[in-house]
Amino acid sequence: MAVLVLLLIATLFVAIGWFALPVFVNASQTLLTFQWQPELGRYGILPMVVGSALVALMALVLACPLALGVTAFALLARSSWLATSVRTVVRLMAGVPTVVYGIAALFLLVPLLRESFRVGSGFSLLAAALVLSLLILPVMVSMLDSQMRPLMQQLKIAARSMGFTDPQTLTYLVLPRCRRTMISAALLGFGRAVGDTLLPMMLAGNAPQLTGSVLDSIRTLTAHIGLVVATEQGSAMYNSLFASGLILLGLSAALTLTTRTLLKGWQP
């Protein structure tokens, strides 16, 4: 089964590369530019690359403290039923379809941003990042809790005998020993955010542009793929689909290799 999985992954890389590399080497199609203007024959996908990075990083910045806070609250809750309830809610969030988050944000968050800031239509980088942070939160909390809870139970008695309170045990003993898990959770959350298609397509505005404000519309690579997949096959616009797919696949592989490299020599 392991060999089969490796063969399937290799086939995926070869297939995407087979269709994407000719697009990159074609001098008549300049994809690595910042101008996406199909009516003028410009098919640069770098605005979508930047948009994907911005929305994923912003979602990660919002989700990291929330994930640590929820995990710490569940660990330090005095009542076991309260901690169990928090973990149950997190698990339920992980099972909610992405489109439900999108529909709720479409009718609640987008009008709120539009009326609050009075700038733009509400379909923006901020809207997509806020909802993506909720999407990746359960994954991060589950990973953190699976490592920190057994360690907390293991160290609690010894720490109390030395005069540590539970918050001190968590802060000074558990968290320093869970740095690997925190890095893994952050990278997993980033990968989940950069790979999501539906929420950026529904909430980010799909404007292929560079932005200097979180209230401006953007387009991500995944949303771009979803938008151009129905165009005429063989056209330059359609070929940008394969280039976007190759970039996403390469980013995923680089993220995995970076995670393994960072964690390999990390000493807690």
Short mmCIF file of all heavy atoms in Angstrom, two decimals, residues 63-79 82-88 90 136-153 156 166-167 170-171 174-175 178 181-182 185-186:
data_model
loop_
_atom_site.label_atom_id
_atom_site.label_comp_id
_atom_site.label_asym_id
_atom_site.label_seq_id
_atom_site.Cartn_x
_atom_site.Cartn_y
_atom_site.Cartn_z
N ALA A 63 -5.64 32.56 13.73
CA ALA A 63 -6.02 31.26 14.30
C ALA A 63 -5.05 30.78 15.37
O ALA A 63 -5.47 30.07 16.29
CB ALA A 63 -6.12 30.22 13.19
N CYS A 64 -3.78 31.13 15.27
CA CYS A 64 -2.77 30.60 16.22
C CYS A 64 -3.09 30.96 17.67
O CYS A 64 -3.14 30.07 18.54
CB CYS A 64 -1.39 31.08 15.84
SG CYS A 64 -0.60 30.08 14.57
N PRO A 65 -3.28 32.24 18.01
CA PRO A 65 -3.62 32.53 19.41
C PRO A 65 -4.95 31.94 19.84
O PRO A 65 -5.12 31.54 21.00
CB PRO A 65 -3.64 34.07 19.45
CG PRO A 65 -3.79 34.51 18.05
CD PRO A 65 -3.14 33.46 17.21
N LEU A 66 -5.91 31.87 18.92
CA LEU A 66 -7.20 31.26 19.25
C LEU A 66 -7.02 29.77 19.56
O LEU A 66 -7.62 29.25 20.52
CB LEU A 66 -8.19 31.44 18.10
CG LEU A 66 -8.81 32.82 17.92
CD1 LEU A 66 -9.66 32.86 16.66
CD2 LEU A 66 -9.63 33.20 19.13
N ALA A 67 -6.23 29.08 18.75
CA ALA A 67 -6.01 27.66 18.96
C ALA A 67 -5.32 27.40 20.30
O ALA A 67 -5.72 26.50 21.06
CB ALA A 67 -5.19 27.07 17.81
N LEU A 68 -4.29 28.18 20.61
CA LEU A 68 -3.61 28.03 21.90
C LEU A 68 -4.54 28.36 23.06
O LEU A 68 -4.53 27.69 24.09
CB LEU A 68 -2.37 28.93 21.94
CG LEU A 68 -1.15 28.44 21.18
CD1 LEU A 68 -0.06 29.50 21.18
CD2 LEU A 68 -0.62 27.14 21.79
N GLY A 69 -5.36 29.41 22.87
CA GLY A 69 -6.28 29.80 23.94
C GLY A 69 -7.34 28.74 24.21
O GLY A 69 -7.63 28.42 25.37
N VAL A 70 -7.93 28.21 23.15
CA VAL A 70 -8.96 27.17 23.31
C VAL A 70 -8.36 25.92 23.94
O VAL A 70 -8.96 25.31 24.85
CB VAL A 70 -9.61 26.85 21.95
CG1 VAL A 70 -10.52 25.63 22.06
CG2 VAL A 70 -10.41 28.04 21.45
N THR A 71 -7.17 25.53 23.49
CA THR A 71 -6.52 24.34 24.05
C THR A 71 -6.19 24.54 25.51
O THR A 71 -6.42 23.66 26.35
CB THR A 71 -5.23 24.03 23.27
OG1 THR A 71 -5.53 23.90 21.88
CG2 THR A 71 -4.60 22.74 23.77
N ALA A 72 -5.65 25.72 25.86
CA ALA A 72 -5.32 26.01 27.26
C ALA A 72 -6.57 26.05 28.13
O ALA A 72 -6.57 25.55 29.26
CB ALA A 72 -4.56 27.33 27.34
N PHE A 73 -7.65 26.63 27.60
CA PHE A 73 -8.89 26.68 28.37
C PHE A 73 -9.42 25.28 28.67
O PHE A 73 -9.86 24.99 29.79
CB PHE A 73 -9.94 27.48 27.59
CG PHE A 73 -11.27 27.57 28.29
CD1 PHE A 73 -11.49 28.50 29.29
CD2 PHE A 73 -12.31 26.72 27.95
CE1 PHE A 73 -12.71 28.58 29.94
CE2 PHE A 73 -13.53 26.79 28.59
CZ PHE A 73 -13.73 27.73 29.59
N ALA A 74 -9.36 24.41 27.68
CA ALA A 74 -9.83 23.03 27.88
C ALA A 74 -8.95 22.29 28.88
O ALA A 74 -9.44 21.46 29.65
CB ALA A 74 -9.87 22.29 26.55
N LEU A 75 -7.65 22.61 28.90
CA LEU A 75 -6.75 21.93 29.82
C LEU A 75 -6.89 22.45 31.25
O LEU A 75 -6.71 21.70 32.21
CB LEU A 75 -5.29 22.11 29.36
CG LEU A 75 -4.88 21.37 28.09
CD1 LEU A 75 -3.47 21.78 27.68
CD2 LEU A 75 -4.95 19.86 28.30
N LEU A 76 -7.21 23.73 31.40
CA LEU A 76 -7.25 24.35 32.72
C LEU A 76 -8.64 24.47 33.29
O LEU A 76 -8.81 24.96 34.42
CB LEU A 76 -6.62 25.75 32.65
CG LEU A 76 -5.15 25.81 32.21
CD1 LEU A 76 -4.68 27.25 32.09
CD2 LEU A 76 -4.27 25.04 33.18
N ALA A 77 -9.66 24.04 32.54
CA ALA A 77 -11.03 24.14 33.03
C ALA A 77 -11.21 23.32 34.29
O ALA A 77 -10.76 22.17 34.38
CB ALA A 77 -12.01 23.68 31.95
N ARG A 78 -11.84 23.91 35.31
CA ARG A 78 -12.05 23.22 36.58
C ARG A 78 -13.06 22.08 36.46
O ARG A 78 -12.95 21.06 37.16
CB ARG A 78 -12.55 24.22 37.62
CG ARG A 78 -11.55 25.32 37.96
CD ARG A 78 -10.34 24.76 38.66
NE ARG A 78 -9.38 25.80 39.04
CZ ARG A 78 -8.23 25.56 39.65
NH1 ARG A 78 -7.88 24.31 39.93
NH2 ARG A 78 -7.43 26.54 39.96
N SER A 79 -14.03 22.26 35.59
CA SER A 79 -15.07 21.25 35.41
C SER A 79 -14.74 20.39 34.20
O SER A 79 -14.46 20.91 33.12
CB SER A 79 -16.44 21.90 35.22
OG SER A 79 -16.75 22.74 36.33
N LEU A 82 -17.04 20.92 31.23
CA LEU A 82 -16.79 22.11 30.43
C LEU A 82 -15.68 21.85 29.42
O LEU A 82 -15.79 22.24 28.25
CB LEU A 82 -16.42 23.27 31.35
CG LEU A 82 -16.22 24.64 30.68
CD1 LEU A 82 -17.48 25.06 29.94
CD2 LEU A 82 -15.83 25.68 31.72
N ALA A 83 -14.61 21.19 29.86
CA ALA A 83 -13.53 20.85 28.94
C ALA A 83 -14.01 19.91 27.85
O ALA A 83 -13.67 20.07 26.67
CB ALA A 83 -12.37 20.23 29.71
N THR A 84 -14.83 18.94 28.23
CA THR A 84 -15.38 18.01 27.24
C THR A 84 -16.28 18.72 26.25
O THR A 84 -16.27 18.42 25.06
CB THR A 84 -16.15 16.89 27.96
OG1 THR A 84 -15.29 16.22 28.88
CG2 THR A 84 -16.70 15.89 26.97
N SER A 85 -17.05 19.69 26.75
CA SER A 85 -17.94 20.44 25.86
C SER A 85 -17.15 21.25 24.84
O SER A 85 -17.52 21.32 23.66
CB SER A 85 -18.83 21.38 26.69
OG SER A 85 -19.63 20.64 27.59
N VAL A 86 -16.04 21.86 25.29
CA VAL A 86 -15.21 22.65 24.38
C VAL A 86 -14.64 21.75 23.29
O VAL A 86 -14.65 22.10 22.09
CB VAL A 86 -14.10 23.36 25.16
CG1 VAL A 86 -13.08 23.99 24.20
CG2 VAL A 86 -14.68 24.43 26.07
N ARG A 87 -14.11 20.60 23.69
CA ARG A 87 -13.53 19.68 22.69
C ARG A 87 -14.60 19.16 21.74
O ARG A 87 -14.34 18.96 20.55
CB ARG A 87 -12.83 18.52 23.41
CG ARG A 87 -11.63 18.95 24.24
CD ARG A 87 -10.88 17.76 24.80
NE ARG A 87 -9.73 18.19 25.59
CZ ARG A 87 -9.72 18.24 26.92
NH1 ARG A 87 -10.79 17.86 27.60
NH2 ARG A 87 -8.64 18.65 27.56
N THR A 88 -15.81 18.94 22.25
CA THR A 88 -16.89 18.47 21.40
C THR A 88 -17.28 19.52 20.36
O THR A 88 -17.50 19.20 19.18
CB THR A 88 -18.11 18.10 22.25
OG1 THR A 88 -17.76 17.09 23.20
CG2 THR A 88 -19.25 17.59 21.38
N VAL A 90 -15.35 21.82 19.16
CA VAL A 90 -14.26 21.89 18.18
C VAL A 90 -14.39 20.77 17.16
O VAL A 90 -14.21 20.96 15.96
CB VAL A 90 -12.90 21.85 18.89
CG1 VAL A 90 -11.77 21.66 17.89
CG2 VAL A 90 -12.68 23.12 19.69
N ILE A 136 -9.56 26.52 9.88
CA ILE A 136 -8.35 25.81 10.28
C ILE A 136 -8.23 25.66 11.79
O ILE A 136 -7.38 24.90 12.27
CB ILE A 136 -7.09 26.50 9.74
CG1 ILE A 136 -6.90 27.88 10.37
CG2 ILE A 136 -7.17 26.63 8.24
CD1 ILE A 136 -5.63 28.59 9.91
N LEU A 137 -9.07 26.36 12.55
CA LEU A 137 -8.99 26.29 14.01
C LEU A 137 -9.17 24.88 14.56
O LEU A 137 -8.37 24.45 15.41
CB LEU A 137 -10.01 27.25 14.62
CG LEU A 137 -10.03 27.34 16.15
CD1 LEU A 137 -8.72 27.91 16.68
CD2 LEU A 137 -11.21 28.21 16.60
N PRO A 138 -10.18 24.11 14.13
CA PRO A 138 -10.34 22.76 14.71
C PRO A 138 -9.16 21.84 14.46
O PRO A 138 -8.79 21.06 15.34
CB PRO A 138 -11.60 22.24 14.00
CG PRO A 138 -12.33 23.45 13.54
CD PRO A 138 -11.27 24.44 13.22
N VAL A 139 -8.54 21.94 13.29
CA VAL A 139 -7.38 21.10 13.00
C VAL A 139 -6.24 21.42 13.93
O VAL A 139 -5.58 20.52 14.49
CB VAL A 139 -6.96 21.30 11.53
CG1 VAL A 139 -5.71 20.48 11.22
CG2 VAL A 139 -8.09 20.91 10.59
N MET A 140 -6.00 22.69 14.16
CA MET A 140 -4.90 23.11 15.02
C MET A 140 -5.17 22.75 16.47
O MET A 140 -4.29 22.26 17.19
CB MET A 140 -4.66 24.61 14.87
CG MET A 140 -4.27 25.03 13.47
SD MET A 140 -4.06 26.82 13.27
CE MET A 140 -2.65 27.10 14.32
N VAL A 141 -6.40 22.97 16.93
CA VAL A 141 -6.75 22.65 18.32
C VAL A 141 -6.64 21.15 18.57
O VAL A 141 -6.12 20.72 19.61
CB VAL A 141 -8.16 23.17 18.66
CG1 VAL A 141 -8.62 22.65 20.02
CG2 VAL A 141 -8.18 24.69 18.65
N SER A 142 -7.12 20.36 17.64
CA SER A 142 -7.06 18.90 17.82
C SER A 142 -5.61 18.42 17.91
O SER A 142 -5.28 17.56 18.74
CB SER A 142 -7.77 18.21 16.66
OG SER A 142 -9.13 18.56 16.62
N MET A 143 -4.72 18.97 17.07
CA MET A 143 -3.32 18.56 17.12
C MET A 143 -2.66 18.99 18.41
O MET A 143 -1.91 18.22 19.04
CB MET A 143 -2.58 19.13 15.91
CG MET A 143 -1.10 18.78 15.89
SD MET A 143 -0.26 19.30 14.39
CE MET A 143 -0.93 18.08 13.25
N LEU A 144 -2.92 20.22 18.84
CA LEU A 144 -2.33 20.70 20.09
C LEU A 144 -2.86 19.92 21.29
O LEU A 144 -2.09 19.53 22.18
CB LEU A 144 -2.64 22.19 20.26
CG LEU A 144 -1.95 23.15 19.29
CD1 LEU A 144 -2.49 24.57 19.46
CD2 LEU A 144 -0.45 23.14 19.49
N ASP A 145 -4.16 19.68 21.32
CA ASP A 145 -4.74 18.99 22.46
C ASP A 145 -4.27 17.55 22.56
O ASP A 145 -4.05 17.03 23.65
CB ASP A 145 -6.27 19.04 22.36
CG ASP A 145 -6.96 18.44 23.58
OD1 ASP A 145 -6.92 19.08 24.64
OD2 ASP A 145 -7.51 17.33 23.46
N SER A 146 -4.08 16.89 21.44
CA SER A 146 -3.65 15.49 21.45
C SER A 146 -2.26 15.33 22.04
O SER A 146 -1.93 14.26 22.58
CB SER A 146 -3.68 14.92 20.03
OG SER A 146 -2.73 15.58 19.21
N GLN A 147 -1.42 16.36 21.96
CA GLN A 147 -0.08 16.29 22.52
C GLN A 147 0.00 16.89 23.92
O GLN A 147 0.67 16.34 24.81
CB GLN A 147 0.90 17.03 21.59
CG GLN A 147 2.32 17.09 22.12
CD GLN A 147 2.99 15.73 22.13
OE1 GLN A 147 2.60 14.85 21.37
NE2 GLN A 147 4.00 15.56 22.97
N MET A 148 -0.70 17.98 24.14
CA MET A 148 -0.56 18.71 25.40
C MET A 148 -1.34 18.08 26.55
O MET A 148 -0.91 18.13 27.70
CB MET A 148 -0.99 20.16 25.19
CG MET A 148 -0.07 20.94 24.26
SD MET A 148 -0.69 22.57 23.79
CE MET A 148 -0.71 23.39 25.38
N ARG A 149 -2.48 17.48 26.25
CA ARG A 149 -3.28 16.91 27.32
C ARG A 149 -2.59 15.72 28.00
O ARG A 149 -2.51 15.69 29.24
CB ARG A 149 -4.66 16.50 26.79
CG ARG A 149 -5.59 15.91 27.85
CD ARG A 149 -7.05 16.08 27.46
NE ARG A 149 -7.31 15.71 26.10
CZ ARG A 149 -8.21 14.78 25.72
NH1 ARG A 149 -8.88 14.09 26.64
NH2 ARG A 149 -8.44 14.54 24.45
N PRO A 150 -2.05 14.73 27.27
CA PRO A 150 -1.32 13.65 27.96
C PRO A 150 -0.10 14.16 28.72
O PRO A 150 0.21 13.67 29.82
CB PRO A 150 -0.92 12.71 26.83
CG PRO A 150 -1.83 13.01 25.73
CD PRO A 150 -2.12 14.47 25.83
N LEU A 151 0.60 15.14 28.16
CA LEU A 151 1.77 15.68 28.83
C LEU A 151 1.38 16.43 30.10
O LEU A 151 2.08 16.35 31.13
CB LEU A 151 2.52 16.60 27.87
CG LEU A 151 3.89 17.10 28.32
CD1 LEU A 151 4.82 15.93 28.62
CD2 LEU A 151 4.49 18.01 27.26
N MET A 152 0.27 17.15 30.05
CA MET A 152 -0.23 17.86 31.23
C MET A 152 -0.58 16.87 32.34
O MET A 152 -0.24 17.09 33.51
CB MET A 152 -1.46 18.69 30.84
CG MET A 152 -2.00 19.57 31.95
SD MET A 152 -0.98 21.02 32.23
CE MET A 152 -2.01 21.89 33.44
N GLN A 153 -1.25 15.79 31.99
CA GLN A 153 -1.61 14.78 32.99
C GLN A 153 -0.37 14.09 33.56
O GLN A 153 -0.32 13.75 34.74
CB GLN A 153 -2.55 13.75 32.37
CG GLN A 153 -3.90 14.34 31.96
CD GLN A 153 -4.75 13.36 31.18
OE1 GLN A 153 -4.28 12.28 30.79
NE2 GLN A 153 -6.01 13.71 30.93
N LYS A 156 1.41 16.83 35.95
CA LYS A 156 0.62 17.59 36.91
C LYS A 156 0.98 17.25 38.35
O LYS A 156 1.21 18.15 39.18
CB LYS A 156 -0.88 17.35 36.67
CG LYS A 156 -1.77 18.16 37.60
CD LYS A 156 -3.23 17.88 37.33
CE LYS A 156 -3.64 18.39 35.97
NZ LYS A 156 -5.11 18.26 35.75
N ASP A 166 -1.61 24.98 38.13
CA ASP A 166 -1.87 24.42 36.80
C ASP A 166 -1.50 25.39 35.67
O ASP A 166 -0.88 24.95 34.68
CB ASP A 166 -3.35 24.01 36.69
CG ASP A 166 -3.65 22.75 37.48
OD1 ASP A 166 -2.69 22.08 37.89
OD2 ASP A 166 -4.84 22.43 37.68
N PRO A 167 -1.83 26.69 35.76
CA PRO A 167 -1.37 27.61 34.70
C PRO A 167 0.15 27.67 34.59
O PRO A 167 0.69 27.78 33.49
CB PRO A 167 -1.96 28.96 35.13
CG PRO A 167 -3.15 28.61 35.94
CD PRO A 167 -2.77 27.36 36.68
N LEU A 170 1.37 24.56 32.81
CA LEU A 170 1.15 24.67 31.37
C LEU A 170 2.15 25.62 30.71
O LEU A 170 2.70 25.32 29.65
CB LEU A 170 -0.28 25.15 31.11
CG LEU A 170 -0.70 25.37 29.65
CD1 LEU A 170 -0.65 24.08 28.88
CD2 LEU A 170 -2.08 26.00 29.57
N THR A 171 2.41 26.75 31.38
CA THR A 171 3.25 27.78 30.79
C THR A 171 4.73 27.39 30.77
O THR A 171 5.42 27.57 29.76
CB THR A 171 3.08 29.11 31.53
OG1 THR A 171 1.71 29.48 31.51
CG2 THR A 171 3.92 30.21 30.89
N VAL A 174 4.76 22.48 30.07
CA VAL A 174 4.11 21.82 28.94
C VAL A 174 4.41 22.52 27.62
O VAL A 174 4.86 21.89 26.65
CB VAL A 174 2.59 21.73 29.17
CG1 VAL A 174 1.90 21.15 27.94
CG2 VAL A 174 2.28 20.88 30.40
N LEU A 175 4.20 23.83 27.57
CA LEU A 175 4.39 24.55 26.30
C LEU A 175 5.81 24.45 25.75
O LEU A 175 5.99 24.23 24.55
CB LEU A 175 3.98 26.02 26.47
CG LEU A 175 2.48 26.29 26.58
CD1 LEU A 175 2.21 27.77 26.77
CD2 LEU A 175 1.73 25.77 25.37
N CYS A 178 6.28 21.32 23.85
CA CYS A 178 5.36 21.09 22.74
C CYS A 178 5.65 22.02 21.57
O CYS A 178 4.76 22.29 20.75
CB CYS A 178 3.91 21.29 23.20
SG CYS A 178 3.33 20.03 24.36
N THR A 181 5.03 20.37 18.23
CA THR A 181 3.61 20.26 17.91
C THR A 181 3.04 21.60 17.48
O THR A 181 2.21 21.66 16.56
CB THR A 181 2.84 19.73 19.13
OG1 THR A 181 3.41 18.50 19.55
CG2 THR A 181 1.38 19.53 18.81
N MET A 182 3.46 22.68 18.12
CA MET A 182 2.95 24.00 17.75
C MET A 182 3.38 24.38 16.34
O MET A 182 2.59 24.95 15.57
CB MET A 182 3.41 25.04 18.78
CG MET A 182 2.70 24.92 20.12
SD MET A 182 3.06 26.29 21.24
CE MET A 182 4.71 25.83 21.78
N ALA A 185 1.32 22.25 13.96
CA ALA A 185 -0.06 22.73 13.87
C ALA A 185 -0.15 24.00 13.03
O ALA A 185 -1.08 24.16 12.22
CB ALA A 185 -0.60 22.99 15.28
N ALA A 186 0.84 24.90 13.19
CA ALA A 186 0.82 26.13 12.40
C ALA A 186 1.01 25.85 10.92
O ALA A 186 0.30 26.41 10.07
CB ALA A 186 1.91 27.07 12.91
#
